[in-house]
Short mmCIF file of all heavy atoms in Angstrom, two decimals:
data_model
loop_
_atom_site.label_atom_id
_atom_site.label_comp_id
_atom_site.label_asym_id
_atom_site.label_seq_id
_atom_site.Cartn_x
_atom_site.Cartn_y
_atom_site.Cartn_z
N ALA A 219 -11.61 37.19 -29.58
CA ALA A 219 -11.70 36.63 -30.92
C ALA A 219 -12.37 37.63 -31.87
O ALA A 219 -13.32 38.32 -31.51
CB ALA A 219 -12.49 35.34 -30.90
N GLU A 220 -11.82 37.68 -33.08
CA GLU A 220 -12.38 38.56 -34.10
C GLU A 220 -13.64 37.93 -34.69
O GLU A 220 -13.67 36.73 -34.97
CB GLU A 220 -11.35 38.81 -35.20
CG GLU A 220 -11.80 39.86 -36.18
CD GLU A 220 -10.71 40.20 -37.18
OE1 GLU A 220 -9.54 40.30 -36.76
OE2 GLU A 220 -11.03 40.33 -38.36
N ILE A 221 -14.70 38.71 -34.87
CA ILE A 221 -15.95 38.22 -35.43
C ILE A 221 -15.80 38.11 -36.94
O ILE A 221 -15.40 39.07 -37.62
CB ILE A 221 -17.11 39.17 -35.08
CG1 ILE A 221 -17.31 39.23 -33.57
CG2 ILE A 221 -18.39 38.73 -35.77
CD1 ILE A 221 -18.31 40.26 -33.12
N GLU A 222 -16.14 36.93 -37.47
CA GLU A 222 -16.08 36.72 -38.92
C GLU A 222 -17.21 37.52 -39.57
O GLU A 222 -18.35 37.47 -39.12
CB GLU A 222 -16.24 35.23 -39.23
CG GLU A 222 -15.99 34.91 -40.68
CD GLU A 222 -16.07 33.42 -40.96
OE1 GLU A 222 -15.90 32.63 -40.02
OE2 GLU A 222 -16.31 33.08 -42.12
N GLN A 223 -16.89 38.25 -40.61
CA GLN A 223 -17.87 39.10 -41.26
C GLN A 223 -17.98 38.77 -42.74
O GLN A 223 -17.05 38.24 -43.34
CB GLN A 223 -17.49 40.58 -41.10
CG GLN A 223 -17.52 41.03 -39.66
CD GLN A 223 -17.28 42.52 -39.54
OE1 GLN A 223 -17.03 43.23 -40.50
NE2 GLN A 223 -17.37 43.01 -38.31
N ILE A 224 -19.12 39.13 -43.31
CA ILE A 224 -19.34 38.99 -44.75
C ILE A 224 -19.36 40.39 -45.33
O ILE A 224 -20.01 41.29 -44.81
CB ILE A 224 -20.68 38.29 -45.03
CG1 ILE A 224 -20.66 36.86 -44.50
CG2 ILE A 224 -20.99 38.30 -46.52
CD1 ILE A 224 -21.98 36.14 -44.65
N ARG A 225 -18.64 40.57 -46.43
CA ARG A 225 -18.58 41.88 -47.09
C ARG A 225 -19.37 41.80 -48.39
O ARG A 225 -19.22 40.88 -49.17
CB ARG A 225 -17.14 42.24 -47.37
CG ARG A 225 -16.98 43.59 -48.02
CD ARG A 225 -15.50 43.90 -48.27
NE ARG A 225 -15.34 45.27 -48.62
CZ ARG A 225 -15.08 46.24 -47.77
NH1 ARG A 225 -14.94 45.97 -46.50
NH2 ARG A 225 -14.95 47.48 -48.17
N VAL A 226 -20.20 42.80 -48.61
CA VAL A 226 -20.99 42.89 -49.83
C VAL A 226 -20.65 44.22 -50.50
O VAL A 226 -20.64 45.26 -49.85
CB VAL A 226 -22.50 42.84 -49.54
CG1 VAL A 226 -23.31 43.01 -50.80
CG2 VAL A 226 -22.86 41.55 -48.83
N SER A 227 -20.36 44.16 -51.78
CA SER A 227 -20.06 45.37 -52.52
C SER A 227 -20.93 45.39 -53.78
O SER A 227 -21.03 44.38 -54.48
CB SER A 227 -18.58 45.38 -52.91
OG SER A 227 -18.30 46.51 -53.69
N ILE A 228 -21.54 46.52 -54.03
CA ILE A 228 -22.42 46.65 -55.20
C ILE A 228 -21.92 47.80 -56.05
O ILE A 228 -21.87 48.94 -55.61
CB ILE A 228 -23.88 46.91 -54.79
CG1 ILE A 228 -24.40 45.79 -53.89
CG2 ILE A 228 -24.76 47.07 -56.02
CD1 ILE A 228 -25.75 46.07 -53.28
N LYS A 229 -21.55 47.48 -57.27
CA LYS A 229 -21.15 48.50 -58.23
C LYS A 229 -21.96 48.28 -59.51
O LYS A 229 -21.96 47.19 -60.07
CB LYS A 229 -19.67 48.41 -58.56
CG LYS A 229 -18.77 48.79 -57.42
CD LYS A 229 -17.32 48.73 -57.85
CE LYS A 229 -16.41 49.12 -56.70
NZ LYS A 229 -15.00 49.12 -57.10
N ARG A 230 -22.64 49.29 -59.92
CA ARG A 230 -23.44 49.22 -61.14
C ARG A 230 -23.28 50.54 -61.89
O ARG A 230 -23.09 51.60 -61.26
CB ARG A 230 -24.92 49.03 -60.81
CG ARG A 230 -25.26 47.72 -60.11
CD ARG A 230 -25.08 46.54 -61.06
NE ARG A 230 -25.51 45.30 -60.49
CZ ARG A 230 -24.73 44.46 -59.83
NH1 ARG A 230 -23.47 44.76 -59.62
NH2 ARG A 230 -25.20 43.34 -59.37
N PRO A 231 -23.40 50.52 -63.22
CA PRO A 231 -23.36 51.78 -63.97
C PRO A 231 -24.47 52.71 -63.47
O PRO A 231 -25.60 52.29 -63.24
CB PRO A 231 -23.62 51.34 -65.41
CG PRO A 231 -23.22 49.90 -65.46
CD PRO A 231 -23.52 49.35 -64.09
N LYS A 232 -24.12 53.97 -63.29
CA LYS A 232 -25.04 54.95 -62.71
C LYS A 232 -26.35 55.07 -63.50
O LYS A 232 -27.40 55.27 -62.90
CB LYS A 232 -24.34 56.31 -62.66
CG LYS A 232 -24.82 57.19 -61.58
CD LYS A 232 -23.96 58.44 -61.53
CE LYS A 232 -24.15 59.14 -60.20
NZ LYS A 232 -23.30 60.29 -60.05
N ASP A 233 -26.28 54.93 -64.82
CA ASP A 233 -27.49 55.12 -65.63
C ASP A 233 -28.29 53.83 -65.84
O ASP A 233 -29.32 53.85 -66.50
CB ASP A 233 -27.14 55.77 -66.97
CG ASP A 233 -26.16 54.95 -67.78
OD1 ASP A 233 -25.52 54.02 -67.22
OD2 ASP A 233 -26.01 55.23 -68.98
N SER A 234 -27.84 52.70 -65.28
CA SER A 234 -28.60 51.45 -65.39
C SER A 234 -29.73 51.45 -64.35
O SER A 234 -29.72 52.26 -63.41
CB SER A 234 -27.69 50.24 -65.15
OG SER A 234 -27.32 50.17 -63.78
N LEU A 235 -30.69 50.55 -64.51
CA LEU A 235 -31.78 50.46 -63.53
C LEU A 235 -31.23 50.13 -62.14
O LEU A 235 -31.64 50.73 -61.14
CB LEU A 235 -32.80 49.40 -63.96
CG LEU A 235 -33.67 49.76 -65.16
CD1 LEU A 235 -34.59 48.60 -65.51
CD2 LEU A 235 -34.49 51.01 -64.89
N ASP A 236 -30.29 49.19 -62.08
CA ASP A 236 -29.68 48.84 -60.79
C ASP A 236 -28.98 50.05 -60.18
O ASP A 236 -29.09 50.32 -58.99
CB ASP A 236 -28.66 47.70 -60.95
CG ASP A 236 -29.30 46.37 -61.28
OD1 ASP A 236 -30.54 46.25 -61.15
OD2 ASP A 236 -28.57 45.45 -61.67
N GLY A 237 -28.26 50.79 -61.01
CA GLY A 237 -27.55 51.98 -60.54
C GLY A 237 -28.52 53.04 -60.02
O GLY A 237 -28.24 53.71 -59.03
N LYS A 238 -29.64 53.19 -60.68
CA LYS A 238 -30.65 54.16 -60.24
C LYS A 238 -31.23 53.76 -58.88
O LYS A 238 -31.45 54.62 -58.02
CB LYS A 238 -31.75 54.30 -61.28
CG LYS A 238 -31.26 55.03 -62.52
CD LYS A 238 -32.33 55.10 -63.59
CE LYS A 238 -31.73 55.78 -64.81
NZ LYS A 238 -32.65 55.87 -65.92
N VAL A 239 -31.47 52.46 -58.70
CA VAL A 239 -31.99 51.99 -57.41
C VAL A 239 -30.97 52.24 -56.31
O VAL A 239 -31.31 52.78 -55.25
CB VAL A 239 -32.37 50.49 -57.48
CG1 VAL A 239 -32.68 49.94 -56.09
CG2 VAL A 239 -33.55 50.28 -58.40
N VAL A 240 -29.73 51.86 -56.54
CA VAL A 240 -28.67 52.05 -55.55
C VAL A 240 -28.50 53.55 -55.25
O VAL A 240 -28.41 53.95 -54.09
CB VAL A 240 -27.35 51.41 -56.01
CG1 VAL A 240 -26.20 51.78 -55.09
CG2 VAL A 240 -27.49 49.90 -56.10
N GLY A 241 -28.49 54.37 -56.28
CA GLY A 241 -28.36 55.82 -56.09
C GLY A 241 -29.53 56.39 -55.30
O GLY A 241 -29.35 57.25 -54.44
N TYR A 242 -30.72 55.90 -55.57
CA TYR A 242 -31.92 56.36 -54.84
C TYR A 242 -31.80 56.02 -53.36
O TYR A 242 -32.04 56.87 -52.50
CB TYR A 242 -33.17 55.72 -55.44
CG TYR A 242 -34.44 56.08 -54.71
CD1 TYR A 242 -35.02 57.33 -54.87
CD2 TYR A 242 -35.05 55.17 -53.86
CE1 TYR A 242 -36.19 57.66 -54.20
CE2 TYR A 242 -36.22 55.49 -53.18
CZ TYR A 242 -36.78 56.74 -53.36
OH TYR A 242 -37.93 57.07 -52.69
N ILE A 243 -31.40 54.79 -53.06
CA ILE A 243 -31.27 54.38 -51.66
C ILE A 243 -30.17 55.20 -50.97
O ILE A 243 -30.33 55.62 -49.83
CB ILE A 243 -30.99 52.87 -51.55
CG1 ILE A 243 -32.21 52.08 -52.03
CG2 ILE A 243 -30.62 52.48 -50.13
CD1 ILE A 243 -31.97 50.60 -52.20
N ARG A 244 -29.08 55.44 -51.68
CA ARG A 244 -27.98 56.23 -51.11
C ARG A 244 -28.40 57.66 -50.80
O ARG A 244 -27.84 58.31 -49.92
CB ARG A 244 -26.80 56.27 -52.07
CG ARG A 244 -25.98 55.01 -52.02
CD ARG A 244 -24.67 55.32 -52.61
NE ARG A 244 -23.72 55.24 -51.50
CZ ARG A 244 -22.52 54.77 -51.62
NH1 ARG A 244 -22.08 54.37 -52.77
NH2 ARG A 244 -21.73 54.71 -50.58
N SER A 245 -29.37 58.18 -51.54
CA SER A 245 -29.79 59.57 -51.37
C SER A 245 -30.60 59.80 -50.10
O SER A 245 -30.95 60.94 -49.81
CB SER A 245 -30.60 60.03 -52.58
OG SER A 245 -31.90 59.45 -52.55
N ASN A 246 -30.89 58.71 -49.36
CA ASN A 246 -31.67 58.80 -48.13
C ASN A 246 -32.99 59.52 -48.41
O ASN A 246 -33.28 60.57 -47.83
CB ASN A 246 -30.86 59.51 -47.05
CG ASN A 246 -31.45 59.32 -45.66
OD1 ASN A 246 -32.37 58.54 -45.48
ND2 ASN A 246 -30.91 60.05 -44.70
N PRO A 247 -33.82 58.94 -49.29
CA PRO A 247 -35.01 59.63 -49.81
C PRO A 247 -36.06 60.02 -48.77
O PRO A 247 -36.76 60.99 -48.95
CB PRO A 247 -35.59 58.63 -50.81
CG PRO A 247 -35.08 57.30 -50.35
CD PRO A 247 -33.73 57.56 -49.77
N PHE A 248 -36.14 59.29 -47.68
CA PHE A 248 -37.17 59.60 -46.70
C PHE A 248 -36.60 60.29 -45.47
O PHE A 248 -37.29 60.48 -44.48
CB PHE A 248 -37.93 58.33 -46.29
CG PHE A 248 -38.68 57.72 -47.44
CD1 PHE A 248 -38.26 56.53 -48.01
CD2 PHE A 248 -39.79 58.35 -47.99
CE1 PHE A 248 -38.95 55.97 -49.07
CE2 PHE A 248 -40.47 57.81 -49.05
CZ PHE A 248 -40.05 56.61 -49.60
N GLY A 249 -35.33 60.66 -45.53
CA GLY A 249 -34.71 61.37 -44.42
C GLY A 249 -34.64 60.55 -43.14
O GLY A 249 -34.65 61.09 -42.05
N LEU A 250 -34.59 59.25 -43.31
CA LEU A 250 -34.51 58.38 -42.14
C LEU A 250 -33.11 58.43 -41.55
O LEU A 250 -32.15 58.77 -42.21
CB LEU A 250 -34.86 56.93 -42.55
CG LEU A 250 -36.23 56.77 -43.22
CD1 LEU A 250 -36.41 55.34 -43.70
CD2 LEU A 250 -37.34 57.14 -42.26
N GLU A 251 -33.01 58.06 -40.30
CA GLU A 251 -31.72 58.10 -39.63
C GLU A 251 -30.83 56.92 -39.98
O GLU A 251 -29.68 56.87 -39.58
CB GLU A 251 -31.92 58.20 -38.12
CG GLU A 251 -32.55 59.53 -37.72
CD GLU A 251 -32.65 59.69 -36.23
OE1 GLU A 251 -31.92 59.02 -35.49
OE2 GLU A 251 -33.48 60.51 -35.81
N ALA A 252 -31.36 55.96 -40.71
CA ALA A 252 -30.57 54.79 -41.09
C ALA A 252 -29.60 55.16 -42.20
O ALA A 252 -29.92 55.95 -43.09
CB ALA A 252 -31.49 53.68 -41.57
N ASP A 253 -28.40 54.60 -42.14
CA ASP A 253 -27.46 54.85 -43.22
C ASP A 253 -27.68 53.85 -44.36
O ASP A 253 -28.50 52.93 -44.25
CB ASP A 253 -26.00 54.83 -42.73
CG ASP A 253 -25.52 53.45 -42.31
OD1 ASP A 253 -26.23 52.46 -42.51
OD2 ASP A 253 -24.40 53.37 -41.79
N TYR A 254 -26.96 54.04 -45.43
CA TYR A 254 -27.10 53.25 -46.65
C TYR A 254 -27.02 51.75 -46.38
O TYR A 254 -27.88 50.98 -46.82
CB TYR A 254 -26.02 53.71 -47.62
CG TYR A 254 -25.86 52.90 -48.87
CD1 TYR A 254 -26.84 52.91 -49.84
CD2 TYR A 254 -24.72 52.14 -49.08
CE1 TYR A 254 -26.69 52.17 -50.99
CE2 TYR A 254 -24.56 51.41 -50.23
CZ TYR A 254 -25.55 51.42 -51.19
OH TYR A 254 -25.40 50.70 -52.33
N SER A 255 -26.01 51.31 -45.64
CA SER A 255 -25.84 49.87 -45.40
C SER A 255 -26.98 49.31 -44.55
O SER A 255 -27.39 48.17 -44.73
CB SER A 255 -24.49 49.57 -44.76
OG SER A 255 -24.39 50.19 -43.50
N GLN A 256 -27.52 50.10 -43.64
CA GLN A 256 -28.66 49.64 -42.83
C GLN A 256 -29.91 49.47 -43.69
O GLN A 256 -30.68 48.53 -43.48
CB GLN A 256 -28.94 50.62 -41.69
CG GLN A 256 -27.89 50.60 -40.61
CD GLN A 256 -28.12 51.70 -39.58
OE1 GLN A 256 -28.51 52.81 -39.93
NE2 GLN A 256 -27.89 51.37 -38.32
N VAL A 257 -30.12 50.37 -44.63
CA VAL A 257 -31.28 50.26 -45.51
C VAL A 257 -31.15 49.02 -46.40
O VAL A 257 -32.12 48.27 -46.57
CB VAL A 257 -31.46 51.53 -46.37
CG1 VAL A 257 -32.56 51.36 -47.41
CG2 VAL A 257 -31.74 52.73 -45.49
N ILE A 258 -29.96 48.79 -46.94
CA ILE A 258 -29.74 47.60 -47.78
C ILE A 258 -29.96 46.33 -46.96
O ILE A 258 -30.65 45.41 -47.38
CB ILE A 258 -28.31 47.61 -48.38
CG1 ILE A 258 -28.11 48.79 -49.32
CG2 ILE A 258 -27.99 46.29 -49.06
CD1 ILE A 258 -28.91 48.74 -50.59
#
Side-chain angles (χ1 to χ4, degrees):
E220 188 174 319
I221 297 173
E222 188 176 337
Q223 295 186 357
I224 296 175
R225 181 179 192 93
V226 177
S227 177
I228 302 172
K229 291 182 180 183
R230 297 290 186 268
K232 208 174 197 176
D233 59 345
S234 71
L235 289 177
D236 291 347
K238 289 177 183 178
V239 170
V240 171
Y242 177 76
I243 293 170
R244 280 199 112 143
S245 74
N246 195 8
F248 296 109
L250 303 174
E251 294 185 21
D253 69 7
Y254 172 69
S255 62
Q256 289 174 321
V257 173
I258 296 292

